[in-house]
């Protein structure tokens, strides 16, 4: 707006002609001068200068907004963006409806904890007709580690929605809506992303799942700054896909061994109730999310899947609308189910810690360059 032409601003014709004659052609030109400089340049009085500057400022300056109008705008954007219910009642309530549209939602946890099971259930739900709580559209599922199982998908569907999946034709139609891509390298994944943007419009895609981003990056030989630069491009592109398409984008992430200084890297997540930063020595878990702090800031919602004291938990570790809550869950033939819809509030370093007690299958795939 600063480059708006003076001739396009409804000033009195006499003063507009003076501006034009003195080569003051844009709002920026006029507002860059003091009142007295304009009086001298235009050879007019202070009253005329102040009146002209006021009119120019009203046209080009952004209007002020009250706190109330900003809050109403946020609620409207969230309503338009919407949330996709996961079918897990307590979790959906905590997230104000489910997985948010238009942003990145991350599922992070150790191998075998249930991330892919969660993704399969979400993909199935998105393919269902709207009267069954679905999005009635296609799903693009990027299966990096070849863990996608069509047999398991149909089993979840049959157990969860027998009225649909007992009919062969309906079961085939629902399964046919899930498009599976299996890139074998970061280069192939990059090509897939560039093609997906067109597919989002042409094929009525209603959800994007990437399982998993960390596995792709860990397979590359680049280290340090070069790997970070590569990851940065992918983060930006995936975020732009989410914002462009206004669909839920779910990305899984793996875990790595915790460095001694990880607590300070994630200090925005490990503050205690009184605001004090907890010390790293208070952690009893040695696992944290892979991909580093840049990725952590890119995701809007982070759901941690962990095992502790013989139980599995889904933990809302990061969300702009939910407190940090943990829900116990188990995996059945119908997919992930909550054992309780009442979440337990998590405080201090527990927000960022990832537990996997009783298991030895800890992933540490050498991602030091991404810490």
């Amino acid at each position: 707006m600063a480059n708006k032409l003076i001739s396009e601003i409804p000033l009195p014709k006499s003063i507009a002609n003076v501006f034009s004659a003195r080569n003051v052609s844009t709002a920026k030109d006029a507002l860059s001068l003091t009142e007295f400089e304009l009086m001298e340049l235009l050879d007019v009085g202070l009253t005329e200068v102040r009146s002209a500057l006021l009119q120019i400022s009203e046209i080009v300056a952004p209007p002020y907004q009250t706190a109330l109008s900003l809050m109403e705008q946020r609620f409207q954007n969230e309503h338009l963006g919407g949330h996709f219910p996961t079918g897990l009642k307590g979790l959906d309530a905590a997230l104000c409806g489910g997985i948010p549209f238009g942003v990145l939602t991350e599922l992070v946890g150790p191998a075998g904890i249930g991330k892919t099971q969660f993704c399969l259930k979400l993909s199935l739900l998105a393919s269902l007709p709207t009267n069954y709580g679905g999005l009635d559209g296609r799903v693009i599922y990027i299966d990096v580690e070849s863990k996608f199982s069509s047999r398991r998908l149909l089993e979840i569907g049959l157990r969860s929605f027998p009225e649909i999946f007992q009919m062969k034709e309906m079961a085939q139609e629902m399964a046919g809506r899930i498009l599976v891509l299996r890139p074998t390298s970061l280069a192939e994944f990059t090509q897939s992303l560039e093609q997906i943007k067109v597919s989002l419009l042409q094929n009525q895609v209603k959800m994007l799942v990437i399982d998993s981003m960390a596995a792709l990056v860990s397979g590359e030989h680049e280290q340090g700054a070069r790997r970070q630069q590569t990851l940065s491009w992918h983060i930006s592109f995936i975020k732009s896909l989410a914002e462009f398409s206004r669909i839920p984008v779910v990305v899984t992430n793996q875990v790595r061994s915790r460095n001694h200084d990880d607590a300070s890297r994630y200090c925005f997540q490990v503050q205690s109730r009184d605001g004090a930063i907890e010390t790293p020595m208070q952690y009893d878990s040695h696992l944290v999310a892979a991909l580093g702090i840049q990725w952590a800031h890119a995701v809007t919602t982070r759901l941690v899947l962990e095992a502790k004291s013989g139980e599995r938990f889904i933990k809302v570790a990061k969300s702009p609308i939910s407190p940090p809550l943990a829900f116990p869950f188990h995996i059945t033939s119908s997919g992930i189910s909550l054992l309780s819809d009442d979440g337990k509030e998590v405080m201090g370093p527990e927000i960022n810690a990832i537990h996997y007690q009783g298991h030895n299958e800890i992933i540490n795939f050498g991602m030091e360059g991404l810490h």
Side-chain angles (χ1 to χ4, degrees), residues 239-252:
K239 286 188 69 174
S240 71
L241 281 179
E243 294 167 0
F244 163 76
S245 60
R246 306 303 301 173
I247 63 172
V249 176
V250 178
V251 183
T252 67

Side-chain angles (χ1 to χ4, degrees), residues 153-168:
L153 180 80
L154 292 174
E155 179 187 24
I156 294 173
L158 185 61
R159 297 291 184 179
S160 304
F161 304 97
E163 62 274 30
I164 292 180
F165 284 85
Q166 283 179 350
M167 295 183 290
K168 185 177 180 180

Side-chain angles (χ1 to χ4, degrees), residues 15 20 41 89 113 115 145 226 242 253 306 339 363 365:
I15 194 73
S20 178
L41 178 65
K89 186 177 178 181
I113 195 67
K115 301 187 299 294
E145 299 179 281
R226 289 187 64 185
N253 189 8
E306 63 178 8
L339 294 171
I363 298 174
F365 42 81

Side-chain angles (χ1 to χ4, degrees), residues 233-261:
W233 183 90
H234 287 88
I235 291 173
S236 298
F237 197 95
I238 295 169
K239 286 188 69 174
S240 71
L241 281 179
E243 294 167 0
F244 163 76
S245 60
R246 306 303 301 173
I247 63 172
V249 176
V250 178
V251 183
T252 67
N253 189 8
Q254 298 176 354
V255 296
R256 61 170 176 81
S257 298
R258 181 174 63 85
N259 290 339
H260 71 279
D261 60 342

Side-chain angles (χ1 to χ4, degrees), residues 65-266:
Q65 289 182 285
T66 65
L68 177 62
S69 66
L70 287 171
M71 183 176 67
E72 290 173 343
Q73 184 179 10
R74 178 179 176 180
F75 285 148
Q76 183 181 16
N77 290 340
E78 288 179 354
H79 175 71
L80 291 175
H83 293 78
F84 174 54
T86 66
L88 306 176
K89 186 177 178 181
L91 182 62
D92 288 340
L95 297 176
C96 297
I99 305 296
F101 288 22
V103 295
L104 303 188
T105 296
E106 177 195 42
L107 306 179
V108 59
I113 195 67
K115 301 187 299 294
T116 297
Q117 297 288 328
F118 202 167
C119 289
L120 289 174
K121 186 67 174 281
L122 290 174
S123 300
L124 181 69
L125 289 171
S127 70
L128 293 178
T130 53
N131 58 314
Y132 285 92
L135 298 177
D136 198 21
R138 295 179 181 270
V139 176
I140 293 181
Y141 194 114
I142 301 181
D143 181 27
V144 179
E145 299 179 281
S146 298
K147 291 184 177 180
F148 181 92
S149 169
S150 56
R151 178 178 297 180
R152 176 62 176 142
L153 180 80
L154 292 174
E155 179 187 24
I156 294 173
L158 185 61
R159 297 291 184 179
S160 304
F161 304 97
E163 62 274 30
I164 292 180
F165 284 85
Q166 283 179 350
M167 295 183 290
K168 185 177 180 180
E169 289 184 1
M170 285 293 291
Q172 289 177 339
E173 181 182 347
M174 294 301 102
R177 291 181 174 185
I178 301 173
L179 312 176
V180 181
L181 303 176
R182 284 180 170 157
T184 59
S185 67
L186 197 58
E188 285 187 17
F189 176 66
T190 303
Q191 292 177 350
S192 298
L193 286 179
E194 292 169 345
Q195 295 168 358
I196 283 171
K197 194 165 187 177
V198 178
S199 298
L200 290 174
L201 292 177
Q202 294 180 345
N203 297 320
Q204 293 295 306
V205 174
K206 297 298 179 68
M207 176 177 281
L208 172 63
V209 176
I210 303 174
D211 183 20
S212 77
M213 187 68 196
L216 269 173
V217 179
S218 66
E220 296 299 301
H221 298 294
E222 290 182 351
Q223 298 292 330
R226 289 187 64 185
R227 181 183 281 181
Q228 277 282 27
Q229 191 174 32
T230 301
L231 179 63
S232 178
W233 183 90
H234 287 88
I235 291 173
S236 298
F237 197 95
I238 295 169
K239 286 188 69 174
S240 71
L241 281 179
E243 294 167 0
F244 163 76
S245 60
R246 306 303 301 173
I247 63 172
V249 176
V250 178
V251 183
T252 67
N253 189 8
Q254 298 176 354
V255 296
R256 61 170 176 81
S257 298
R258 181 174 63 85
N259 290 339
H260 71 279
D261 60 342
D262 277 329
S264 61
R265 293 178 185 272
Y266 291 86

